[in-house]
Amino acid sequence: MYLTIDKTVVAIDAVTCRERWVTNWEPKSTPLSPANRGVAIKDGHLVRGTSDGYLIALSMADGKLMWSRQIASPKAAST
């Protein structure tokens, strides 16, 4: 089971309810939106949006960052 809380993703073992791993995203710019929409699961990756306009992919196994792409800009959002 995977939970998102602001900048954090937590993996929980659904059988034992024990934490498997935790990872935190350090924002690279001013947050655009504090929305929390959870994660999508695809090919062993967790994909989620961040509050600073990035789309990130994490390894389901250990939470390591696989890739990140900026998909929104604080400058463009403020004009």
Side-chain angles (χ1 to χ4, degrees), residues 49-61:
T50 66
S51 63
D52 61 339
Y54 280 77
L55 191 63
I56 63 172
L58 306 171
S59 166
M60 288 175 66

Side-chain angles (χ1 to χ4, degrees), residues 2 39-47 57-60 66-67:
Y2 303 95
V39 298
I41 298 173
K42 175 73 172 156
D43 297 333
H45 294 88
L46 299 175
V47 179
L58 306 171
S59 166
M60 288 175 66
M66 306 304 290
W67 54 259

